[in-house]
């Protein structure tokens, strides 16, 4: 492994998102209308266009990314996912005990589905005429997606940050571009630190909310108590869920941002080039909250601008720190690749996500 | 002639280049010095569909690629072979204000119709098909929470309980609820109240027994039995998951924005559905009372007394977020008899 940065002075290439809310609005609303008219079938093509717009609007070092998936394959993927869901629902409806079998099958099925989707999207993403790829085995996927989270859960979340690290390692370290690997590496304690901060802030907000909540309950009990309500506990349940869920929603964007900063900034490509993500978790939280507020006020029509605003900020804080001139590096190293693109169509991989 | 960059076959290496198409529909890529870089029949070239002002790609069969920002130029270049490019119509729609306006109207109408008719109809179908053991499980859960935190054992005497039971059975016999489904339970606390659980358990509080006359009690039971018979409780459960599902479909993502944006509209839509259920239950109670030969107007008296108990002389008023329509509306319904 060569020492990064010794051969040549590092050159900074900032990422940039050039998409606009108004252009994406047209894409979003027209595709939504077509999805409705076709009873959901067009949603597969809508997804392709959306993803292509976001990839194609993301620029770094003078080139944009691109997305090449075909709507048909996404449609097939969704049909399979829907069939599985139907099979699950129907079989458990008639034989509730069959659930156990499904959970066992799910432990195998889930990693396969995840692998397949990530691989599909990686292979359909290009930059400078070259494709990305994802090379994880199903066993690796099983460890990262089923086993580690499970261990994280049964150890009362003590292992959860470690499981999160395993998941990030799985996702990033199996991605390749032009046959060369990305590799992220960071000390586990930093992931623990992020979750510790999250837990602290969550506890604080929860305490404040519970305090307010009890005060509100006391007032409500005097004035509310609707006459013979239809399942009043439902209302009580909502309040309780909201109390515990709201702080979680509030801190989720910040936690997610800190994790992205950590994993991206620890990422090396081809042992030479680094990524650097310097998003401000509070700023992201502010953007997300104001986005939600504006979406509500505009009955949802602000959504395209919301998505673009977030992408702009995220990309503006992402930098490629290349050792030397990235252009000559790419031209030399990635000249004449074996035709990875050729076999893409023949491999069984679909996107099962939304 | 359009200007762009030519990427060599399966390579990230590129040179500035120009592209043109000759009379025989052959795509020709030339370097800046005029030397030929590549040639291919247009029908073998994969041209990416236009999308906003994204770079356009002409992908040659050997893995080389010509990329340009000149979208109009590409359209012109391939004008004679437009049928080779799929998806061009999408871009024209996405940038036409007419199509956008039509889409806005169509999407709003569809989403609106789904919220107003689709979700309630779907929730009703699902609720009717829900197996009894599931309804029982949900009810057990609720009752456990209630018993441990919110309500206590009743202090009503056995004799009074028997009296209430008799009224309950009489109401059930009119067809308001199958006798083996609906059961009456007594609990204290929670003020004057009665509520129904999905599996047919109907809970009445001590304060309600003390406040309501026998005729009014029949009305209360009839109302709660309607909730059971029409599976209102289960419908609420299904509606609670259909509203977020709709938002995921519309936005196409399950991100935090989506999740956060779900809550408020979810609560608003839910309480609107809930008020509809209450009116439905009130109407049903009205019919049941008539069958029993009781004037439904007595219920208006009960509702108003309960309101005074809670809020004093000023009316409590309806709440936008409330689960129930306001008392004035409900009282008027019982008085009008319709
Ligand atoms: Zn009711």
């Amino acid at each position: 492994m060569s020492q990064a940065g010794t051969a040549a002075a590092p050159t900074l290439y900032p990422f940039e998102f050039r998409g606009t809310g108004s252009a994406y609005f047209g894409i979003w609303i027209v595709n939504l209308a077509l999805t409705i008219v076709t009873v959901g079938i067009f949603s597969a093509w809508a997804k392709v266009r959306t993803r292509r717009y976001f990839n194609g609007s993301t620029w770094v070092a003078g080139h944009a990314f691109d997305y090449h998936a075909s709507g048909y394959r996404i449609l097939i993927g969704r049909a399979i996912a829907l069939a599985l869901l139907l099979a699950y629902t129907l079989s458990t409806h008639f034989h509730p005990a069959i659930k156990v079998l499904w959970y066992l099958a799910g432990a195998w099925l889930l990693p396969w589905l995840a692998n397949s989707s990530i691989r599909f999207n990686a292979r359909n993403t290009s930059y400078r005429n070259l494709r990305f790829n994802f090379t994880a085995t199903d066993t690796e996927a099983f460890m990262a997606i089923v086993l580690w989270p499970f261990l994280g859960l049964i150890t009362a979340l003590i292992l959860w940050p470690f499981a999160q690290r395993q998941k990030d390692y799985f996702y990033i370290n199996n991605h390749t571009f032009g046959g060369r690997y990305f590799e992220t590496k960071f000390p586990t304690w930093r992931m623990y630190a992020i979750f510790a901060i999250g837990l602290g802030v969550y506890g604080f907000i929860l305490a404040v909310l519970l305090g307010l909540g009890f005060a509100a309950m006391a007032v409500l009990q005097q004035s509310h108590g609707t006459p013979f309500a239809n399942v009043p506990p439902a209302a009580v349940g909502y309040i309780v869920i909201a109390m515990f869920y709201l702080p979680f929603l509030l801190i989720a964007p910040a936690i997610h941002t800190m994790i992205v900063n950590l994993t991206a900034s620890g990422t090396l490509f081809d042992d030479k080039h680094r990524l650097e993500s310097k998003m401000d978790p509070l700023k992201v939280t502010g953007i997300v909250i104001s986005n939600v507020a504006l979406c509500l006020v505009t009955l949802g029509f602000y959504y395209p601008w919301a998505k673009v605003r977030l992408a702009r900020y995220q990309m503006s804080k992402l930098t490629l720190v290349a050792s030397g001139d990235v252009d000559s590096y790419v031209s030399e190293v990635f000249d004449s690749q074996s035709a990875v693109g050729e076999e893409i169509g023949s491999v069984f991989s679909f996107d099962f996500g939304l | 002639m359009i200007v762009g960059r030519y990427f060599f076959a399966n390579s990230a290496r590129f040179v500035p280049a120009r592209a043109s198409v000759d009379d025989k529909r052959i795509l020709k890529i030339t370097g800046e010095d005029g030397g030929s870089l590549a040639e291919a029949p247009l029908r073998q070239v994969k041209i990416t569909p236009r999308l906003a002002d994204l770079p356009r790609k002409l992908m040659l069969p050997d893995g080389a690629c010509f990329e340009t920002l000149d979208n109009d130029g590409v359209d012109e270049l391939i004008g004679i072979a437009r049928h080779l490019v799929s998806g061009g119509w999408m871009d024209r729609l996405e940038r036409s204000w007419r199509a956008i306006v039509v889409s806005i109207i169509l999407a709003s109408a569809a989403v609106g119709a789904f919220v107003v008719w689709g979700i309630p109809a779907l929730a009703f179908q699902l609720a009717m098909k829900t197996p009894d053991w599931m309804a029982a499980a949900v009810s057990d859960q609720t009752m456990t929470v209630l018993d441990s935190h919110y309500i206590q054992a009743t202090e009503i005497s056995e004799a009074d309980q028997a009296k209430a039971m008799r009224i309950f059975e009489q109401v059930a016999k009119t067809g308001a609820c199958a006798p083996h489904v609906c059961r009456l339970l007594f609990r204290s606390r929670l003020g004057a109240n009665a509520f129904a659980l999905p599996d047919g358990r109907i809970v009445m509080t001590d304060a309600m027994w003390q406040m309501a006359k026998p005729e009014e009690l029949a009305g209360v039971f009839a109302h709660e039995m309607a909730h059971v018979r029409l599976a209102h409780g289960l419908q609420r459960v299904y509606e609670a998951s259909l509203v977020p599902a709709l938002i995921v479909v519309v936005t196409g993502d399950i991100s935090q924005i989506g999740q956060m944006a779900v809550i408020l509209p979810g609560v608003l839509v839910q309480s609107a559905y809930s008020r509809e259920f209450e009116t439905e239950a009130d109407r049903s109670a009205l019919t049941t009372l008539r069958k029993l030969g009781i004037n439904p107007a007595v219920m208006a008296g009960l509702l108003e007394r309960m309101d005074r108990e809670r809020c004093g002389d000023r009316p409590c008023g309806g709440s936008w977020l409330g689960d129930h329509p306001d008392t004035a509306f409900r009282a008027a319904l019982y008085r009008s008899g319709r």
Side-chain angles (χ1 to χ4, degrees):
Chain A
M1 204 198 293
S2 69
Q3 192 68 42
T6 45
T11 322
L12 303 183
Y13 296 94
F15 280 71
E16 189 192 352
F17 186 76
R18 294 191 190 163
T20 64
S22 49
Y24 179 47
F25 179 79
I27 295 166
W28 173 66
I29 196 75
V30 168
N31 281 282
L32 179 59
L34 285 166
T35 299
I36 291 167
V37 170
T38 58
V39 215
I41 291 170
F42 195 80
S43 70
W45 283 266
K47 188 199 164 138
V48 171
R49 285 189 81 76
T50 304
R51 221 177 154 122
R52 225 187 119 206
Y53 184 71
F54 277 83
N55 273 7
S57 301
T58 305
W59 291 71
V60 64
H63 296 266
F65 292 80
D66 204 347
Y67 188 65
H68 306 265
S70 94
Y72 291 106
R73 288 187 85 82
I74 290 183
L75 192 67
I76 293 171
R78 284 183 179 181
I80 295 174
L82 195 69
L84 282 173
L85 190 71
L86 268 177
Y88 169 80
T89 317
L90 287 177
S91 62
T92 54
H93 180 91
F94 293 113
H95 302 280
I98 234 166
K99 265 196 183 132
V100 183
L101 282 179
W102 273 104
Y103 290 143
L104 288 176
W108 171 81
L109 213 59
L110 229 57
W112 180 78
L113 288 177
N115 245 355
S116 185
S117 297
I118 302 171
R119 192 166 55 229
F120 177 83
N121 283 319
R123 288 182 174 182
N124 280 303
T125 302
S126 75
Y127 177 74
R128 288 189 69 156
N129 199 31
L130 292 183
R131 303 284 180 121
F132 288 78
N133 198 0
F134 188 72
T135 61
T137 62
D138 285 345
T139 315
E140 285 170 313
F142 172 79
M143 304 272 279
I145 291 171
V146 178
L147 189 64
W148 279 113
F150 178 71
L151 290 177
L153 280 178
I154 60 166
T155 54
L157 299 186
I158 292 169
L159 280 181
W160 190 261
F162 188 78
Q164 174 73 40
R165 192 195 80 149
Q166 294 306 102
K167 205 175 86 193
D168 292 327
Y169 274 26
F170 160 75
Y171 185 77
I172 294 174
N173 297 357
N174 284 304
H175 264 99
T176 65
F177 171 70
R180 309 228 168 184
Y181 276 90
F182 289 86
E183 193 191 8
T184 188
K185 216 186 267 174
F186 52 84
T188 315
W189 69 264
R190 295 200 54 187
M191 192 59 93
Y192 273 90
I194 290 174
F195 278 86
I197 294 169
L199 201 64
V201 178
Y202 177 86
F204 176 74
I205 301 176
L206 185 65
V208 171
L209 277 181
L210 283 178
L212 285 174
F214 280 127
M217 289 259 224
V219 176
L220 276 175
Q221 230 148 33
Q222 309 236 304
S223 69
H224 209 57
T226 37
F228 39 99
N230 169 29
V231 206
V236 177
Y238 280 137
I239 294 170
V240 173
I241 291 169
M243 288 241 180
F244 286 90
Y245 197 51
L246 197 71
F248 176 74
L249 278 182
L250 278 175
I251 62 161
I255 298 294
H256 180 248
T257 303
M258 285 191 275
I259 292 176
V260 171
N261 278 346
L262 177 63
T263 53
S265 299
T267 299
L268 269 179
F269 175 65
D270 196 20
D271 289 336
K272 285 184 193 65
H273 312 289
R274 236 163 24 82
L275 283 176
E276 200 171 74
S277 173
K278 286 185 168 170
M279 291 184 279
D280 177 354
L282 288 178
K283 188 98 193 266
V284 173
T285 307
I287 291 175
V288 169
I289 290 176
S290 56
N291 273 349
V292 170
L294 284 163
C295 280
L296 289 177
V297 169
T298 57
L299 293 173
F301 285 108
Y302 182 74
Y303 174 75
W305 283 273
K307 230 181 135 174
V308 164
R309 191 156 77 108
L310 189 61
R312 275 201 175 190
Y313 178 74
Q314 287 170 330
M315 286 306 130
S316 74
K317 297 294 168 192
L318 187 63
T319 314
L320 170 68
V321 184
S323 68
D325 179 43
V326 81
D327 197 59
S328 54
Y329 162 81
V330 168
S331 302
E332 279 164 32
V333 176
F334 299 123
D335 194 7
S336 187
Q337 285 287 305
S338 62
V340 190
E342 287 307 302
E343 55 189 320
I344 289 171
S346 59
V347 176
F348 186 70
S349 74
F350 298 102
D351 183 25
F352 297 99
L354 281 153
Chain B
M1 183 75 76
I2 46 175
V3 182
R5 310 195 267 214
Y6 174 77
F7 287 89
F8 293 91
N10 302 312
S11 166
R13 194 157 61 87
F14 72 94
V15 289
R18 292 158 205 276
S20 59
V21 173
D22 70 8
D23 319 337
K24 290 173 191 149
R25 293 193 184 177
I26 305 282
L27 175 71
K28 290 189 167 164
I29 315 277
T30 51
E32 277 193 317
D33 55 0
S36 172
L37 288 165
E39 270 185 26
L42 203 50
R43 65 188 156 74
Q44 288 177 14
V45 178
K46 193 173 166 260
I47 302 161
T48 55
R50 187 168 176 161
L51 177 61
D53 49 6
L54 258 47
R56 201 72 173 278
K57 282 173 187 153
L58 293 87
M59 288 143 100
L60 282 73
D62 65 347
C65 165
F66 178 80
E67 184 191 284
T68 177
L69 281 167
D70 187 359
N71 268 303
D72 289 332
V74 174
D75 283 345
E76 209 173 300
L77 198 73
I78 58 170
I80 38 168
R82 181 152 283 162
H83 60 278
L84 291 175
V85 192
S86 61
W89 57 277
M90 276 302 304
D91 174 68
R92 281 192 292 283
L93 286 183
E94 283 159 2
R95 287 185 301 142
S96 131
W97 66 267
R98 274 197 201 91
I100 289 176
V101 168
V102 171
S103 297
I104 291 176
I105 295 169
L106 203 132
S108 308
V111 170
F114 192 65
V115 168
V116 174
W117 296 294
I119 290 182
L122 221 67
F124 180 74
Q125 288 300 324
L126 288 169
M128 286 299 162
K129 290 200 174 80
T130 303
D132 291 340
W133 62 266
M134 253 168 90
V138 172
S139 307
D140 281 341
Q141 187 68 30
T142 313
M143 210 59 211
T144 313
V145 173
L146 277 175
D147 275 335
S148 57
H149 295 293
Y150 300 99
I151 51 181
Q152 289 170 353
T154 181
E155 282 155 16
I156 301 176
S157 70
E158 300 259 328
D160 281 353
Q161 285 193 28
K163 270 189 220 163
M165 283 289 192
R166 263 199 302 283
I167 300 175
F168 190 82
E169 275 155 25
Q170 271 173 6
V171 177
K173 262 187 215 141
T174 61
C177 184
H180 66 278
V181 174
C182 284
R183 284 153 295 153
L184 180 61
L185 302 177
F186 299 87
R187 293 288 190 278
S188 75
R189 306 251 313 260
L190 281 181
N193 214 328
F195 52 86
L197 298 175
D199 72 341
R201 269 176 272 191
I202 290 172
V203 179
M204 179 178 69
T205 64
D206 294 2
M208 177 59 98
W209 165 254
Q210 277 140 20
M211 173 177 268
K213 298 171 198 134
E215 291 185 333
E216 295 163 347
L217 215 51
V220 172
F221 291 153
H223 174 102
E224 296 307 331
M225 285 177 191
H227 280 320
V228 173
R229 195 182 68 244
L230 302 165
H232 285 161
L234 286 174
Q235 288 190 55
R236 286 184 59 146
V237 174
Y238 287 115
E239 283 166 354
S241 49
L242 283 169
V243 174
L246 174 70
I247 294 182
V248 171
V249 168
V250 169
T251 59
D253 80 52
I254 359 175
S255 66
Q256 285 133 9
I257 301 185
Q259 274 185 38
M260 283 175 87
V262 158
I263 293 179
L264 189 56
V267 170
L268 287 180
V269 169
Q270 287 260 341
S271 48
Y273 289 146
S274 165
R275 286 197 295 273
E276 214 138 285
F277 289 152
E278 294 311 323
T279 308
E280 205 181 352
D282 280 340
R283 290 226 163 83
S284 167
L286 223 144
T287 323
T288 309
L289 285 176
R290 278 228 195 76
K291 282 187 197 158
L292 289 163
I294 299 170
N295 180 3
V298 297
M299 288 301 288
L302 173 67
L303 285 167
E304 280 157 4
R305 275 210 316 286
M306 290 175 74
D307 236 19
R308 265 200 300 283
E309 184 102 328
R310 282 193 300 136
C311 311
D313 282 335
R314 272 181 316 158
C316 293
S319 127
W320 197 35
L321 280 164
D323 280 354
H324 282 63
D326 64 350
T327 303
F329 175 84
R330 298 181 69 189
L333 185 105
Y334 279 112
R335 285 216 172 87
S336 74
R338 269 183 296 120

